[in-house]
Amino acid sequence: MATTNYTQQSQLRPPTKGFHCSESIEKKGIIPSIIFRCNLPPPNDNKTLQFNCREPSCGALEGEETAATLTDEDYAVDPNFFDSGYSMAGSTGFKVWTGSRLMIETLTWPQCEIDPERLVGIRRRLLGGAARVVELGAGVGVVGTYLAAVGATVLLTDLATLVENAIDSNLLQNEGIATDSDDYDTNNNNPPPSWLESSSKCRRIGKGWAATTPLDWTCPIDEQLTKEQSESIDLVIASDVVFLVSMLTSLLDTVESIFKSSSHNNPSFILSFQRRDAKDGEESSSFTTVNRIISSVKKRGWTIDCLAWRPVTVRKEECNGDVKEEQSEVFVFDINPCWVA
């Protein structure tokens, strides 16, 4: 199916009024950190989550939002380069990408005049505290932490290096953020959900809960998640995690395992993806394209629908230090196994 079929006017999501992101540089010691910030939906839009990253975001800021720029001297050798299971692909998780922003806006900020009924139902469960979510390839934890803050219970997963060096610390610094005071005071003393209790460092984030665990897509999930975790999932999410074809296959294998283990919950998979053109286009054997995602999903007998899309301008730094702007699109897809469709 052509990409143009997923860029219809009815699915075009304009920037959300009231949602703001920004980033700044914080220097403690030799290596600086990028602090990425984003505010919560009303009535808590004066509350802000913040996340430590190693590099400035890519495509996650819009308009005049404050961006951070590192100099050549600010970049350092990756201290986790030789970690077991770590790779160059894994290193991209230490920054915030385009798809994270559109995922957050689509799932948590209503635009009643354009939101399809399906999206309204997903959002109602997230905001109502009924959703049990697993995030795959959580990176620094922006999306999963945000969904917890608005009411979901979320298990954030990634390679052990990302969990230990990014997600855990970012959950800690957002722990206990006060949202709507009545909701927070009422629920703050409640124990964490049992399906998250077996995970280390289960934390109260706003109206919800969040925990972490390492998860490698190339290994069976029953060797990495507890039985209760693998059988408790309502929603699987992933943001901008499959720019390589090899990553797409292993991601969908993992999602398929979750679909089966949690089949009684009718779980869905929400995937955001920014189009990145390879020189050999849709026939690329290395890089994931929108059409490849669509065809790979349909080959498994699943359905795929576009909940939202948006044109984006992405700033890219060339090898000579010049910065150029590229036009692209970012999508949020709703993927379901055949028994849900």
Side-chain angles (χ1 to χ4, degrees), residues 176-251:
I177 181 172
T179 54
D180 190 311
S181 59
D182 290 338
D183 288 333
Y184 187 80
D185 292 341
T186 300
N187 298 321
N188 193 35
N189 292 324
N190 292 343
S194 63
W195 78 285
L196 290 185
E197 281 188 302
S198 58
S199 298
S200 63
K201 304 181 181 70
C202 184
R203 301 192 184 280
R204 189 81 164 91
I205 309 290
K207 297 181 180 180
W209 291 91
T212 62
T213 193
L215 185 66
D216 185 333
W217 305 341
T218 64
C219 301
I221 65 166
D222 59 5
E223 296 177 2
Q224 304 177 83
L225 301 182
T226 67
K227 186 174 186 292
E228 184 176 11
Q229 286 171 344
S230 64
E231 294 179 353
S232 298
I233 298 164
D234 301 309
L235 190 66
V236 185
I237 62 169
S239 299
D240 251 344
V241 295
V242 286
F243 65 93
L244 295 176
V245 171
S246 58
M247 299 167 71
L248 176 62
T249 301
S250 56
L251 172 68

Side-chain angles (χ1 to χ4, degrees), residues 76-236:
V77 175
D78 189 339
N80 303 110
F81 186 79
F82 295 105
D83 287 6
S84 177
Y86 191 58
S87 64
M88 290 302 293
S91 69
T92 62
F94 283 105
K95 65 194 297 182
V96 182
W97 295 87
T98 313
S100 295
R101 181 180 189 127
L102 187 59
M103 178 80 86
I104 287 172
E105 291 186 43
T106 301
L107 294 182
T108 64
W109 287 74
Q111 292 192 15
C112 300
E113 66 278 9
I114 63 171
D115 287 343
E117 184 177 347
R118 166 71 178 165
L119 175 56
V120 172
I122 294 172
R123 185 184 299 122
R124 186 181 299 117
R125 296 192 70 187
L126 288 168
L127 301 182
R132 292 164 295 186
V133 182
V134 63
E135 181 173 15
L136 304 177
V140 295
V142 174
V143 177
T145 306
Y146 201 100
L147 294 185
V150 300
T153 59
V154 187
L155 181 62
L156 293 85
T157 73
D158 210 314
L159 298 174
T161 296
L162 271 300
V163 171
E164 296 166 4
N165 294 280
I167 308 174
D168 280 342
S169 58
N170 281 328
L171 284 183
L172 177 61
Q173 74 174 339
N174 289 294
E175 184 178 22
I177 181 172
T179 54
D180 190 311
S181 59
D182 290 338
D183 288 333
Y184 187 80
D185 292 341
T186 300
N187 298 321
N188 193 35
N189 292 324
N190 292 343
S194 63
W195 78 285
L196 290 185
E197 281 188 302
S198 58
S199 298
S200 63
K201 304 181 181 70
C202 184
R203 301 192 184 280
R204 189 81 164 91
I205 309 290
K207 297 181 180 180
W209 291 91
T212 62
T213 193
L215 185 66
D216 185 333
W217 305 341
T218 64
C219 301
I221 65 166
D222 59 5
E223 296 177 2
Q224 304 177 83
L225 301 182
T226 67
K227 186 174 186 292
E228 184 176 11
Q229 286 171 344
S230 64
E231 294 179 353
S232 298
I233 298 164
D234 301 309
L235 190 66
V236 185

